[in-house]
């Protein structure tokens, strides 16, 4: 099992920045990739970004490209999501996820473990 704990959410004005953190514990040696998803009220959970644990290659959704960056600190078993130029439409609960599979890691089914989520609210 892998446990994930997110932090760093909060209330920010449009144009501002936040950095989310996700700390993984447990059988982290089995993790092949980690990702961030978000879910706004009344909407499906959507992919935001992912990073491969080995090699560190990243991929971000078009909706956040150029504004959000995903990174990792292997020594701390931590993944970060730096969010800049935030917009009201970025308001959502942000979830960290970990995968032990092989794949492209942009779908919910690609991930095996999920955190509890952290709320991000962007005011206009």
């Amino acid at each position: 099992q892998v446990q994930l704990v997110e932090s760093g959410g909060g209330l920010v004005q449009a144009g501002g920045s936040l950095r989310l953190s996700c700390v993984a514990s447990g059988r982290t040696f089995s993790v092949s990739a980690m990702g961030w998803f978000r879910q706004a009220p009344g909407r499906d959970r959507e992919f935001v970004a992912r990073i491969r644990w080995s090699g560190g290659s990243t991929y971000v959704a078009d909706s956040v490209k150029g504004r959000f960056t995903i990174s990792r600190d292997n020594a701390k078993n931590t993944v970060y999501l730096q969010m800049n130029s935030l917009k009201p439409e970025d308001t959502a609960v942000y979830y960290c996820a970990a995968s032990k599979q092989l794949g492209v890691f942009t779908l919910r089914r690609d991930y095996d473990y999920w955190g509890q989520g952290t709320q991000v609210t962007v005011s206009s």
Side-chain angles (χ1 to χ4, degrees), residues 78-97:
T78 301
V79 172
Y80 304 98
L81 185 67
Q82 178 67 43
M83 306 185 294
N84 299 327
S85 302
L86 282 161
K87 305 175 181 180
E89 51 263 44
D90 295 318
T91 295
V93 177
Y94 283 71
Y95 295 91
C96 175

Side-chain angles (χ1 to χ4, degrees), residues 29-48:
F29 60 86
S30 65
V31 172
S32 53
M34 292 185 69
W36 287 96
F37 286 71
R38 67 185 181 185
Q39 188 166 17
R43 302 189 65 177
D44 291 335
R45 192 171 300 187
E46 66 171 353
F47 168 78
V48 176

Side-chain angles (χ1 to χ4, degrees), residues 4-53:
L4 304 172
V5 178
E6 304 102 331
S7 63
L11 173 64
V12 64
Q13 288 188 331
S17 299
L18 283 174
R19 188 177 80 157
L20 305 183
S21 300
C22 174
V23 179
S25 61
R27 299 173 64 88
T28 56
F29 60 86
S30 65
V31 172
S32 53
M34 292 185 69
W36 287 96
F37 286 71
R38 67 185 181 185
Q39 188 166 17
R43 302 189 65 177
D44 291 335
R45 192 171 300 187
E46 66 171 353
F47 168 78
V48 176
R50 67 92 172 131
I51 186 166
R52 294 185 186 275
W53 209 243

